Structure formats: structure tokens, C-alpha cells
Amino acid sequence: MPQPFLPYGRQSIDDSDIEAVARVLRSDWLTTGPEVDAFEADFAAATGAGHAIACSNGTTALHLALAGLDVGPGDVCIVPAITFMATANAAIYCGAEVVFADVDADTGLMTPATLRQAMSRAPDGRLRAVLPVHLAGQCEDLAALREIASSAGAVLVEDACHALGTSWQGRPVGSGEYSDAACFSFHPVKTIAAGEGGMVTTNDAGLAARLRRLRSHGIERDPARMEQGQDEPWWHEMQELGWNYRLCDVQAALARSQLARLGAFAAKRKTLAAAYDALLDGNPVIGALARTPDCDPCLHLYPVRIDFAAAGTDRAAVMRGLQARGIGSQVHYIPVPSQPWYRRRYGDQTPPGAAAYYLRTLSLPLFADMATEDPERVVAALNEVLGV
Ligand SMILES: *Cc1c(COP(=O)(O)O)cnc(C)c1O
């Protein structure tokens, strides 16, 4: 019997997830209601954050966090060149400009050193926010990034869309210990799925209240926070311009049920990653995922490093060869500054570490429902395609 096609990532849905969604469909609430409240409480507990604010996706989480921290026209945000474009786009939505930081050529992460370099390229006095991206689920030295950003008067907003379940120096990512806000995504390829969904965590109660307003048109309903002080039962006020970035209860029920499975997901991802590490140990052509110190990652991706030219091939041929053997792969990511829109805005600014990382990276299948033996099949196919 042919083996099933292995995509590079996919969701894991079981009967408990289906039951959770069905329960909401039978209830009185479909849009933002009790399930969203419960999901936020569970998420805050899972990350150790003081506040968790759910929203419609990871991109709106980033936009809300930056808007809530007053990023606006004239400001500059530093974003690593290797990320999903949403990280940079969130700054642009706020009217700010982006300075792209280089990344470590092996891990793909912005480091304290590459952050300092990028800061030297930011116009004087304009830097407002630094957005480290926890690529593949790993993070850099968060305390150092925080310290460097604060010393320049900038806020730190973590793009933690890959890093739910990861901890740094024993603290969960998103705890609020090292950043002003952390943003998560529940897109189906991410560690937990909501269909679409996002979350911002923070320890700042004022910011949390503002994010709750901004995700729903800027409307305040808490009588204690009214500007005009009416106590009529219908009174609510739009205090600033927000958006409809709400999560609905159907999505929250799925995400909450998935969050209850996070421990099992993380354990499985760790087992699979360890299997890849062992299989690639000593491989002359394929470099296993490079790891960062102090980080205990729940990996979202398993990107390997391959010098395709030295192996006498190119990446497209390798991806097609894997595809023909029933194995999906992907590239995370095309450097954002080389995307046409950013190239037109700033000229191609892809820095050397990002260019080197991009040239060699290939993400192999990693998801909770993979069989423990699947990495063997993937590495065997990759060796065969590369002629190792
Ligand atoms: C997925 C992702 C986002 C955006 O999340 P959506 O939920 O798809 O909007 C942002 N940043 C990174 C690094 C991501 O992987």
C-alpha cells in the first residue's frame, strides 16, 4: 500500500476538538463570548502571562500590539529579514517604516549583534519597536534583546507565531517577562489550530484593556473606563479608531480544545525533532537544525541546511524529487526585503546572513500526527535525491 503523502505541516484534529466545536454550535453564542473568555484564561495560564487578548489571526495580533503600543507615522520598527511578511506588514499598517535586521546564517534568527547593526541604520530618534521572530519555534537571548531595545527607548514585541510551547531559560515564551507583548497565530500549520486565530499576551493591564478596545472598533463597554460617564444601560463609547479583529466562539472552542492537547503536541514534536537530529548526525551534505542556547523549543518547523550547489543540484529539483517520493517541503522564508513591494519601497536590502540562510534552508515535514518512523522515510528520500 502506498504511504500517505507527508505535507510539511498540518493540523491534528481529534474527537475532543470536534465535540468542542459542536458544543458551541448548539449554544446561544457564536461570536465573541464565553469560549473566547475561557480560551484567553487558559492561554494566560499556559504562558504565565498576566493578560491574553484573542483576535482574528496572527497578523491582526501583531497589528493590534503595535497600534496599542502607539507605533505610528514617523516611527521605525526593526524586523528580521527572514520572517513571514506579516511581521513587517504590521509596522506598515501603523504608518511606520521598517528597518530589516540581518539574521544568523545558521539559525535564521535576529541576534543581539544583528539588532545593534540594524539600530545603527535606523534614523536617529525614530526607533519605536523591535520585533524578534522566533523562527521555527526557537528564540535568541530574549533578555539581551530586551535590554538593547529598552536602552534605545524602544518596545519589544515578540512574533511568537512559531513558538507556542517553547520556553527560554525555563520561562514559557509569551510570559511577558522579556517583552511588552508577544503575538501568536492559530493558523492550521501552527502548533495549535483555530482555523484562523491569534493572541496577544502582555503583563501590562492598561495595554490589555486597550487591545480589547482596538480589536472591536475602539469601543469601550466597561463603565469604569468611560470618558463621558453616562450610566444608561445602552451606553458604550468609541474612544479611538479600532477594527473588527475579533475571534469568534466557534474558533475559540477549537483553539481551546487544541490548547489542552499542547503538552502532547510538544512531546511529539520533540520526539520527531530528536529523530531528525539523530538521523542527520554526521551527514556530509545535510546540516541538522542549528540550535540556540537556553532555549527549550517546541519546534514548529524542522528546517535543515543544504549547500545545494556543492551537492551538484538546486533546491527546486530537490523539492520536486521529494514531492515525487510523497514528501512535502517548504522554504521559510524568502527574505522579506526582496519581495517586490518592499524592494520598491526600500530597494533590495537583503543582508548577507539572511541571504546565506535563505540559500540553504529547506523545511522538512513536522507535525503532531506524523508517525515516529516518518523522519526515517524523509531523510532516506532526501539522501537519495541528493545522492548522499
Ligand atoms: C503565521 C505567521 C504570522 C501570521 O499569522 P496568521 O495567523 O497567518 O495571520 C506572522 N508571523 C509569523 C512568523 C508566522 O509564521
Side-chain angles (χ1 to χ4, degrees), residues 43 46-47 160-166 173 184 186 191-192 259 262 266 298:
F43 201 89
T47 53
C161 289
H162 291 188
L164 179 59
T166 293
V173 161
F184 296 86
F186 313 122
T191 304
I192 66 169
L259 186 62
L262 178 61
C298 171

Side-chain angles (χ1 to χ4, degrees), residues 238-363:
M238 179 181 142
Q239 298 182 339
E240 56 184 329
L241 183 65
W243 303 272
N244 178 355
Y245 281 176
R246 295 186 302 264
L247 189 73
C248 74
D249 264 25
V250 182
Q251 295 163 312
L254 176 54
R256 190 177 167 219
S257 169
Q258 292 260 298
L259 186 62
R261 301 174 61 203
L262 178 61
F265 288 165
K268 184 64 177 293
R269 285 174 177 273
K270 281 177 194 183
T271 302
L272 294 165
Y276 275 129
D277 289 343
L279 289 159
L280 294 172
D281 189 31
N283 191 298
V285 176
I286 312 163
L289 172 64
R291 303 303 166 86
T292 54
D294 299 324
C295 181
D296 179 16
C298 171
L299 293 178
H300 159 57
L301 301 169
Y302 194 90
V304 293
R305 293 160 294 151
I306 301 171
D307 185 338
F308 294 95
T313 180
D314 62 55
R315 186 162 45 195
V318 171
M319 288 181 77
R320 289 191 194 102
L322 288 174
Q323 177 87 16
R325 287 161 178 79
I327 292 162
S329 60
Q330 192 48 275
V331 173
H332 298 94
Y333 291 94
I334 299 166
V336 181
S338 70
Q339 291 288 352
W341 193 86
Y342 280 101
R343 196 192 284 254
R344 283 196 294 274
R345 196 171 186 88
Y346 300 127
D348 190 351
Q349 294 188 351
T350 302
Y357 183 83
Y358 170 59
L359 211 56
R360 294 189 300 168
T361 193
L362 187 68
S363 300

Side-chain angles (χ1 to χ4, degrees), residues 56-62 82-88 132-136 159-163 183-190 195-199 300-301 332-333:
S56 50
N57 55 61
T59 307
T60 55
L62 288 159
I82 297 290
T83 182
F84 183 56
M85 56 279 272
T87 325
V133 175
H134 306 330
L135 187 71
D159 182 338
C161 289
H162 291 188
C183 302
F184 296 86
S185 163
F186 313 122
H187 181 280
V189 297
K190 307 291 164 75
E196 298 281 351
M199 188 75 81
H300 159 57
L301 301 169
H332 298 94
Y333 291 94

Side-chain angles (χ1 to χ4, degrees), residues 87-300:
T87 325
N89 293 354
I92 302 287
Y93 298 155
C94 293
E97 298 298 335
V98 174
V99 167
F100 289 103
D102 204 359
V103 298
D104 180 275
D106 287 311
T107 63
L109 298 174
M110 176 172 72
T111 67
T114 66
L115 171 57
R116 283 202 191 87
Q117 268 169 25
M119 282 168 56
S120 71
R121 285 185 277 118
D124 277 351
R126 295 288 188 79
L127 180 63
R128 176 71 195 134
V130 174
L131 291 101
V133 175
H134 306 330
L135 187 71
Q138 298 200 98
C139 54
E140 253 293 338
D141 184 336
L142 292 178
L145 294 174
R146 172 86 202 242
E147 167 61 32
I148 297 166
S150 312
S151 69
V155 294
L156 198 77
V157 174
E158 296 170 78
D159 182 338
C161 289
H162 291 188
L164 179 59
T166 293
S167 51
W168 187 75
Q169 290 197 342
R171 278 178 194 280
V173 161
S175 70
E177 183 69 19
Y178 302 105
S179 64
D180 296 278
C183 302
F184 296 86
S185 163
F186 313 122
H187 181 280
V189 297
K190 307 291 164 75
T191 304
I192 66 169
E196 298 281 351
M199 188 75 81
V200 183
T201 61
T202 179
N203 284 341
D204 179 336
L207 176 61
R210 187 171 188 201
L211 297 180
R212 286 182 202 289
R213 279 199 298 277
L214 287 174
R215 78 169 169 195
S216 193
H217 307 285
I219 295 171
E220 182 61 67
R221 292 178 187 278
D222 180 351
R225 295 178 186 273
M226 291 302 166
E227 285 176 16
Q228 293 176 209
Q230 269 91 341
D231 63 357
E232 290 87 347
W234 65 84
W235 186 252
H236 59 276
E237 52 191 36
M238 179 181 142
Q239 298 182 339
E240 56 184 329
L241 183 65
W243 303 272
N244 178 355
Y245 281 176
R246 295 186 302 264
L247 189 73
C248 74
D249 264 25
V250 182
Q251 295 163 312
L254 176 54
R256 190 177 167 219
S257 169
Q258 292 260 298
L259 186 62
R261 301 174 61 203
L262 178 61
F265 288 165
K268 184 64 177 293
R269 285 174 177 273
K270 281 177 194 183
T271 302
L272 294 165
Y276 275 129
D277 289 343
L279 289 159
L280 294 172
D281 189 31
N283 191 298
V285 176
I286 312 163
L289 172 64
R291 303 303 166 86
T292 54
D294 299 324
C295 181
D296 179 16
C298 171
L299 293 178
H300 159 57

